[in-house]
Amino acid sequence: MTTLDAVDRALIHALHVDGRAPFTKIGDVLGVSTQTVARRYRRLRSEASLRVVGLPDPQRAGQAEWMVRLTATPHTAQDLAQALARRADTAWIKLMSGGTEICVNVHTPAASDHALLLRDIPRTASITAVSAHQLLHRYFGGPTAWLGRANALDAAQIAALTPVHTGPGKPLTGDDDALMAALQRDGRASLAELAAATGWSAATVARRLADLQAGGTVFFDLEIDPEPLGATTQALLWMAVAPARLDRVARTLATHPELALVAATTGPANLVAQALCPDAAALHHYLTHRLGALDAIRTLETAPVLRTVKAAASR
């Protein structure tokens, strides 16, 4: 497993704050050379699967976001997960619970008939159960990501790196498809590379990117293998919370450093979270002491994550 030192962790935190910050700026803030930042970035890409990706905010982009849970026979689950990973409308896919469950995050146009959910899941006897849950509100996750990777910089360094966006922002249109595809492949692609991908001038790309970022229509997320950061155990947590207390519980959970996602959802479990912990004992401690102290949580289902089959950067 890749070993991270203080410079690596500071670089990861810097990219968490601004995924497109120039290496010269990051070097100035961290007190290291530009060459050191570039060299560490290349190593983290190679050894820790680090990726900066540009993504649309689902709500601002007029998309509905779903989590689809499929249960399949053990010998077919991995093949099914790989087939779903090839779809453009799947954002991430996790193999769960002993290798028999697949959890798929799906983005669809808000006004669509949700074809994946209703028609396009392969018709096979190996699938024994399917359930679909629309994410109604993200309390944490997306533009604000797991705090376990964002604990190396002080307040002054964070302020120096935080981008300033002005203006109301602009919605995505079909003309942005090539730009978004390029940013999803590499959120740090240069303006020249983005110009080549879109057929626009570099100046046009810069203006359009600024417009999309200003209102939060597009954000830059950071993906990295959590194990080098000390999180070897992952789980999705499905909770049923008394409706009158859902908002308060969700806002509390959004402050927990163990969680990378907190969202209200449809279905018997009306709150879902993703936990990242150092080991199984730490996950048990979190469930029994942190979540156990919240009496509004009426039921809790813990689904261990065995492997991430697809992440946003692998679209």
Side-chain angles (χ1 to χ4, degrees):
M1 183 174 70
T2 301
T3 301
L4 304 181
D5 63 14
V7 175
D8 293 325
R9 290 177 179 274
L11 172 56
I12 291 166
H13 192 171
L15 292 171
H16 170 96
V17 176
D18 182 4
R20 286 186 64 84
F23 288 158
T24 51
K25 183 176 183 180
I26 294 175
D28 288 344
V29 172
L30 271 53
V32 299
S33 69
T34 302
Q35 291 77 13
T36 295
V37 174
R39 184 173 63 252
R40 296 298 184 98
Y41 176 75
R42 289 193 298 269
R43 184 175 72 87
L44 290 170
R45 278 183 61 95
S46 173
E47 298 179 10
S49 302
L50 182 146
R51 298 289 186 273
V52 175
V53 290
L55 300 170
D57 180 278
Q59 291 184 334
R60 291 186 173 90
Q63 296 178 335
E65 187 175 8
W66 295 76
M67 291 179 74
V68 182
R69 302 178 70 181
L70 302 99
T71 304
T73 54
H75 66 284
T76 62
Q78 292 200 35
D79 289 342
L80 177 59
Q82 293 292 345
L84 291 168
R86 291 190 286 270
R87 295 184 59 101
D89 53 1
T90 56
W92 53 257
I93 298 174
K94 297 181 185 296
L95 195 62
M96 320 280 300
S97 305
T100 59
E101 182 183 344
I102 304 163
C103 189
V104 187
N105 181 254
V106 183
H107 292 183
T108 66
S112 78
D113 60 357
H114 313 304
L116 173 64
L117 310 180
L118 301 178
R119 293 197 306 266
D120 293 351
I121 293 174
R123 296 181 184 276
T124 169
S126 67
I127 297 178
T128 57
V130 179
S131 62
H133 313 267
Q134 185 174 4
L135 298 193
L136 303 176
H137 181 74
R138 276 183 182 251
Y139 288 87
F140 190 75
T144 52
W146 179 46
L147 299 179
R149 70 187 190 201
N151 51 16
L153 303 182
D154 61 32
Q157 291 173 309
I158 294 171
L161 287 164
T162 301
V164 177
H165 300 306
T166 59
K170 300 291 179 64
L172 283 168
T173 71
D175 293 338
D176 297 309
D177 288 350
L179 175 63
M180 292 309 304
L183 291 173
Q184 201 162 61
R185 289 191 298 270
D186 180 7
R188 290 191 61 85
S190 68
L191 292 179
E193 291 169 329
L194 295 175
T198 59
W200 301 343
S201 68
T204 299
V205 169
R207 286 194 301 271
R208 185 56 180 159
L209 199 49
D211 286 343
L212 293 173
Q213 285 184 267
T217 304
V218 170
F219 67 95
F220 289 89
D221 202 0
L222 181 67
E223 294 182 349
I224 188 170
D225 181 357
E227 288 197 20
L229 291 165
T232 65
T233 300
Q234 297 186 50
L236 286 179
L237 311 177
W238 298 87
M239 293 162 276
V241 180
R245 303 173 72 179
L246 176 63
D247 187 71
R248 179 177 297 179
V249 169
R251 292 183 186 279
T252 299
L253 265 56
T255 67
H256 290 187
E258 295 88 349
L259 300 182
L261 167 71
V262 179
T265 184
T266 59
N270 56 1
L271 189 63
V272 63
Q274 181 185 356
L276 294 95
C277 296
D279 51 34
L283 175 61
H284 173 71
H285 185 273
Y286 174 71
L287 298 178
T288 55
H289 289 74
R290 302 292 302 276
L291 293 188
L294 301 173
D295 58 7
I297 299 176
R298 299 182 298 195
T299 64
L300 169 65
E301 176 191 356
T302 304
V305 176
L306 302 183
R307 184 163 64 92
T308 297
V309 177
K310 179 181 182 179
S314 60
R315 273 190 175 187

